[in-house]
Amino acid sequence: MSTLKDIKGIIFDYGGTIDTNSRHWAEVLWSKYVAHQVPVDKESFREAYVFGERALAKYPFVQPGHNFYDVLAIKAKLQMEYLALQKKLPMDEALLQSYATKVADSCYEYVLDVLKVTRPVVELLAKRYKLVLVSNFYGNIQTILKDFGLFTYFDDIIESSVVGVRKPDPAIYKMGVDAMGYDAQDVLVVGDSFSKDVVPAKQVGCRVAWLQGEGWGGEVIDESLPDVIMTDLAQLPALL
């Protein structure tokens, strides 16, 4: 694996990287379904999760002023309504809202705990490197970063719903490199998704630190592709 000692700038992914420190959001949500005894099986949940993500990408449920709790509440409500329509949960509005609120509340608390680990890493690296964020998100990433005290650490933000390009299209990482103003080989990309972060970033010519964790499953993995592999974002500063 190559050295990262000579990099000049860092591109961070957000979801699954800064907010969950390597856990895919589907796994985080499912763990809260289990914790709050939402009576559905995992396959039904996966279908609801995919439905919700597609709906959020297609329709403007999330507005620029929504913070992360708002996003979680909207996601959970969409999932519960889908499960009810599929007859996996009772068509009881009060019950569905109760489940959605419990899941959103506990997911938000989870993120606040994770940020105690990941925010200091971003803060430290912002003192040493130019940072750019590249994220598939809903048009409100700036609100979320401000809410979580992260906004000032990034020199630029490339958000899929704003620029009209989504990962895994390598063009979004090319935008990140252009915003950085360095050669791609001098830029390190940090992300949790092998197919959406590692592969397109390498196609653009960046170096990559893969935050390997609890993924969605089904990806073809080539561990020789990333320059370094981590299991915790807190490991990153020592690698640089």
Side-chain angles (χ1 to χ4, degrees), residues 222-234:
D222 176 3
E223 291 193 355
S224 70
L225 194 59
D227 295 270
V228 297
I229 298 174
M230 311 173 291
T231 55
D232 186 328
L233 199 62

mmCIF file with all atom_site columns, all heavy atoms in Angstrom, residues 222-234:
data_model
loop_
_atom_site.group_PDB
_atom_site.id
_atom_site.type_symbol
_atom_site.label_atom_id
_atom_site.label_alt_id
_atom_site.label_comp_id
_atom_site.label_asym_id
_atom_site.label_entity_id
_atom_site.label_seq_id
_atom_site.pdbx_PDB_ins_code
_atom_site.Cartn_x
_atom_site.Cartn_y
_atom_site.Cartn_z
_atom_site.occupancy
_atom_site.B_iso_or_equiv
_atom_site.pdbx_formal_charge
_atom_site.auth_seq_id
_atom_site.auth_comp_id
_atom_site.auth_asym_id
_atom_site.auth_atom_id
_atom_site.pdbx_PDB_model_num
ATOM 1  N N   . ASP A 1 222 ? -12.427 -5.505 -4.072 1.00 0.00 ? 222 ASP A N   1
ATOM 2  C CA  . ASP A 1 222 ? -11.023 -5.760 -4.397 1.00 0.00 ? 222 ASP A CA  1
ATOM 3  C C   . ASP A 1 222 ? -10.187 -4.945 -3.421 1.00 0.00 ? 222 ASP A C   1
ATOM 4  O O   . ASP A 1 222 ? -10.009 -3.736 -3.587 1.00 0.00 ? 222 ASP A O   1
ATOM 5  C CB  . ASP A 1 222 ? -10.732 -5.345 -5.841 1.00 0.00 ? 222 ASP A CB  1
ATOM 6  C CG  . ASP A 1 222 ? -9.251  -5.489 -6.201 1.00 0.00 ? 222 ASP A CG  1
ATOM 7  O OD1 . ASP A 1 222 ? -8.471  -5.966 -5.347 1.00 0.00 ? 222 ASP A OD1 1
ATOM 8  O OD2 . ASP A 1 222 ? -8.883  -5.111 -7.332 1.00 0.00 ? 222 ASP A OD2 1
ATOM 9  N N   . GLU A 1 223 ? -9.678  -5.611 -2.383 1.00 0.00 ? 223 GLU A N   1
ATOM 10 C CA  . GLU A 1 223 ? -8.984  -4.891 -1.322 1.00 0.00 ? 223 GLU A CA  1
ATOM 11 C C   . GLU A 1 223 ? -7.632  -4.334 -1.764 1.00 0.00 ? 223 GLU A C   1
ATOM 12 O O   . GLU A 1 223 ? -7.001  -3.584 -1.012 1.00 0.00 ? 223 GLU A O   1
ATOM 13 C CB  . GLU A 1 223 ? -8.816  -5.789 -0.088 1.00 0.00 ? 223 GLU A CB  1
ATOM 14 C CG  . GLU A 1 223 ? -10.140 -6.082 0.604  1.00 0.00 ? 223 GLU A CG  1
ATOM 15 C CD  . GLU A 1 223 ? -9.977  -6.684 1.985  1.00 0.00 ? 223 GLU A CD  1
ATOM 16 O OE1 . GLU A 1 223 ? -8.822  -6.964 2.388  1.00 0.00 ? 223 GLU A OE1 1
ATOM 17 O OE2 . GLU A 1 223 ? -11.008 -6.874 2.673  1.00 0.00 ? 223 GLU A OE2 1
ATOM 18 N N   . SER A 1 224 ? -7.199  -4.667 -2.973 1.00 0.00 ? 224 SER A N   1
ATOM 19 C CA  . SER A 1 224 ? -5.947  -4.094 -3.480 1.00 0.00 ? 224 SER A CA  1
ATOM 20 C C   . SER A 1 224 ? -6.174  -2.700 -4.077 1.00 0.00 ? 224 SER A C   1
ATOM 21 O O   . SER A 1 224 ? -5.202  -1.983 -4.345 1.00 0.00 ? 224 SER A O   1
ATOM 22 C CB  . SER A 1 224 ? -5.330  -5.007 -4.540 1.00 0.00 ? 224 SER A CB  1
ATOM 23 O OG  . SER A 1 224 ? -6.116  -5.003 -5.730 1.00 0.00 ? 224 SER A OG  1
ATOM 24 N N   . LEU A 1 225 ? -7.427  -2.303 -4.281 1.00 0.00 ? 225 LEU A N   1
ATOM 25 C CA  . LEU A 1 225 ? -7.716  -1.030 -4.945 1.00 0.00 ? 225 LEU A CA  1
ATOM 26 C C   . LEU A 1 225 ? -7.491  0.189  -4.040 1.00 0.00 ? 225 LEU A C   1
ATOM 27 O O   . LEU A 1 225 ? -6.823  1.138  -4.456 1.00 0.00 ? 225 LEU A O   1
ATOM 28 C CB  . LEU A 1 225 ? -9.140  -1.046 -5.503 1.00 0.00 ? 225 LEU A CB  1
ATOM 29 C CG  . LEU A 1 225 ? -9.493  0.060  -6.503 1.00 0.00 ? 225 LEU A CG  1
ATOM 30 C CD1 . LEU A 1 225 ? -8.570  0.013  -7.720 1.00 0.00 ? 225 LEU A CD1 1
ATOM 31 C CD2 . LEU A 1 225 ? -10.952 -0.067 -6.931 1.00 0.00 ? 225 LEU A CD2 1
ATOM 32 N N   . PRO A 1 226 ? -8.025  0.206  -2.812 1.00 0.00 ? 226 PRO A N   1
ATOM 33 C CA  . PRO A 1 226 ? -7.749  1.364  -1.948 1.00 0.00 ? 226 PRO A CA  1
ATOM 34 C C   . PRO A 1 226 ? -6.282  1.410  -1.533 1.00 0.00 ? 226 PRO A C   1
ATOM 35 O O   . PRO A 1 226 ? -5.613  0.377  -1.457 1.00 0.00 ? 226 PRO A O   1
ATOM 36 C CB  . PRO A 1 226 ? -8.667  1.137  -0.739 1.00 0.00 ? 226 PRO A CB  1
ATOM 37 C CG  . PRO A 1 226 ? -8.956  -0.310 -0.726 1.00 0.00 ? 226 PRO A CG  1
ATOM 38 C CD  . PRO A 1 226 ? -8.937  -0.759 -2.154 1.00 0.00 ? 226 PRO A CD  1
ATOM 39 N N   . ASP A 1 227 ? -5.796  2.614  -1.241 1.00 0.00 ? 227 ASP A N   1
ATOM 40 C CA  . ASP A 1 227 ? -4.412  2.774  -0.809 1.00 0.00 ? 227 ASP A CA  1
ATOM 41 C C   . ASP A 1 227 ? -4.240  2.343  0.641  1.00 0.00 ? 227 ASP A C   1
ATOM 42 O O   . ASP A 1 227 ? -3.195  1.807  1.017  1.00 0.00 ? 227 ASP A O   1
ATOM 43 C CB  . ASP A 1 227 ? -3.983  4.227  -0.995 1.00 0.00 ? 227 ASP A CB  1
ATOM 44 C CG  . ASP A 1 227 ? -3.982  4.612  -2.464 1.00 0.00 ? 227 ASP A CG  1
ATOM 45 O OD1 . ASP A 1 227 ? -2.944  4.444  -3.119 1.00 0.00 ? 227 ASP A OD1 1
ATOM 46 O OD2 . ASP A 1 227 ? -5.034  5.052  -2.957 1.00 0.00 ? 227 ASP A OD2 1
ATOM 47 N N   . VAL A 1 228 ? -5.248  2.617  1.469  1.00 0.00 ? 228 VAL A N   1
ATOM 48 C CA  . VAL A 1 228 ? -5.257  2.120  2.845  1.00 0.00 ? 228 VAL A CA  1
ATOM 49 C C   . VAL A 1 228 ? -6.675  1.707  3.199  1.00 0.00 ? 228 VAL A C   1
ATOM 50 O O   . VAL A 1 228 ? -7.654  2.190  2.604  1.00 0.00 ? 228 VAL A O   1
ATOM 51 C CB  . VAL A 1 228 ? -4.752  3.161  3.880  1.00 0.00 ? 228 VAL A CB  1
ATOM 52 C CG1 . VAL A 1 228 ? -3.298  3.524  3.631  1.00 0.00 ? 228 VAL A CG1 1
ATOM 53 C CG2 . VAL A 1 228 ? -5.629  4.396  3.893  1.00 0.00 ? 228 VAL A CG2 1
ATOM 54 N N   . ILE A 1 229 ? -6.785  0.811  4.159  1.00 0.00 ? 229 ILE A N   1
ATOM 55 C CA  . ILE A 1 229 ? -8.087  0.362  4.653  1.00 0.00 ? 229 ILE A CA  1
ATOM 56 C C   . ILE A 1 229 ? -8.142  0.630  6.152  1.00 0.00 ? 229 ILE A C   1
ATOM 57 O O   . ILE A 1 229 ? -7.225  0.257  6.891  1.00 0.00 ? 229 ILE A O   1
ATOM 58 C CB  . ILE A 1 229 ? -8.313  -1.133 4.373  1.00 0.00 ? 229 ILE A CB  1
ATOM 59 C CG1 . ILE A 1 229 ? -8.307  -1.404 2.863  1.00 0.00 ? 229 ILE A CG1 1
ATOM 60 C CG2 . ILE A 1 229 ? -9.634  -1.605 4.984  1.00 0.00 ? 229 ILE A CG2 1
ATOM 61 C CD1 . ILE A 1 229 ? -8.376  -2.870 2.494  1.00 0.00 ? 229 ILE A CD1 1
ATOM 62 N N   . MET A 1 230 ? -9.222  1.291  6.594  1.00 0.00 ? 230 MET A N   1
ATOM 63 C CA  . MET A 1 230 ? -9.441  1.577  8.014  1.00 0.00 ? 230 MET A CA  1
ATOM 64 C C   . MET A 1 230 ? -10.745 0.931  8.445  1.00 0.00 ? 230 MET A C   1
ATOM 65 O O   . MET A 1 230 ? -11.601 0.608  7.614  1.00 0.00 ? 230 MET A O   1
ATOM 66 C CB  . MET A 1 230 ? -9.563  3.082  8.264  1.00 0.00 ? 230 MET A CB  1
ATOM 67 C CG  . MET A 1 230 ? -8.504  3.963  7.654  1.00 0.00 ? 230 MET A CG  1
ATOM 68 S SD  . MET A 1 230 ? -8.934  5.715  7.890  1.00 0.00 ? 230 MET A SD  1
ATOM 69 C CE  . MET A 1 230 ? -10.355 5.874  6.795  1.00 0.00 ? 230 MET A CE  1
ATOM 70 N N   . THR A 1 231 ? -10.906 0.784  9.745  1.00 0.00 ? 231 THR A N   1
ATOM 71 C CA  . THR A 1 231 ? -12.187 0.334  10.285 1.00 0.00 ? 231 THR A CA  1
ATOM 72 C C   . THR A 1 231 ? -12.806 1.384  11.216 1.00 0.00 ? 231 THR A C   1
ATOM 73 O O   . THR A 1 231 ? -13.899 1.199  11.729 1.00 0.00 ? 231 THR A O   1
ATOM 74 C CB  . THR A 1 231 ? -12.030 -0.985 11.054 1.00 0.00 ? 231 THR A CB  1
ATOM 75 O OG1 . THR A 1 231 ? -11.025 -0.811 12.051 1.00 0.00 ? 231 THR A OG1 1
ATOM 76 C CG2 . THR A 1 231 ? -11.636 -2.117 10.111 1.00 0.00 ? 231 THR A CG2 1
ATOM 77 N N   . ASP A 1 232 ? -12.072 2.486  11.413 1.00 0.00 ? 232 ASP A N   1
ATOM 78 C CA  . ASP A 1 232 ? -12.521 3.558  12.304 1.00 0.00 ? 232 ASP A CA  1
ATOM 79 C C   . ASP A 1 232 ? -11.889 4.846  11.805 1.00 0.00 ? 232 ASP A C   1
ATOM 80 O O   . ASP A 1 232 ? -10.673 4.883  11.546 1.00 0.00 ? 232 ASP A O   1
ATOM 81 C CB  . ASP A 1 232 ? -12.064 3.243  13.741 1.00 0.00 ? 232 ASP A CB  1
ATOM 82 C CG  . ASP A 1 232 ? -12.603 4.222  14.788 1.00 0.00 ? 232 ASP A CG  1
ATOM 83 O OD1 . ASP A 1 232 ? -12.782 5.401  14.451 1.00 0.00 ? 232 ASP A OD1 1
ATOM 84 O OD2 . ASP A 1 232 ? -12.816 3.787  15.927 1.00 0.00 ? 232 ASP A OD2 1
ATOM 85 N N   . LEU A 1 233 ? -12.684 5.896  11.656 1.00 0.00 ? 233 LEU A N   1
ATOM 86 C CA  . LEU A 1 233 ? -12.158 7.168  11.130 1.00 0.00 ? 233 LEU A CA  1
ATOM 87 C C   . LEU A 1 233 ? -11.059 7.723  12.038 1.00 0.00 ? 233 LEU A C   1
ATOM 88 O O   . LEU A 1 233 ? -10.177 8.441  11.565 1.00 0.00 ? 233 LEU A O   1
ATOM 89 C CB  . LEU A 1 233 ? -13.292 8.180  10.980 1.00 0.00 ? 233 LEU A CB  1
ATOM 90 C CG  . LEU A 1 233 ? -13.013 9.365  10.053 1.00 0.00 ? 233 LEU A CG  1
ATOM 91 C CD1 . LEU A 1 233 ? -12.766 8.910  8.621  1.00 0.00 ? 233 LEU A CD1 1
ATOM 92 C CD2 . LEU A 1 233 ? -14.154 10.374 10.096 1.00 0.00 ? 233 LEU A CD2 1
ATOM 93 N N   . ALA A 1 234 ? -11.099 7.372  13.310 1.00 0.00 ? 234 ALA A N   1
ATOM 94 C CA  . ALA A 1 234 ? -10.084 7.847  14.245 1.00 0.00 ? 234 ALA A CA  1
ATOM 95 C C   . ALA A 1 234 ? -8.688  7.339  13.899 1.00 0.00 ? 234 ALA A C   1
ATOM 96 O O   . ALA A 1 234 ? -7.685  7.871  14.387 1.00 0.00 ? 234 ALA A O   1
ATOM 97 C CB  . ALA A 1 234 ? -10.450 7.432  15.675 1.00 0.00 ? 234 ALA A CB  1
#
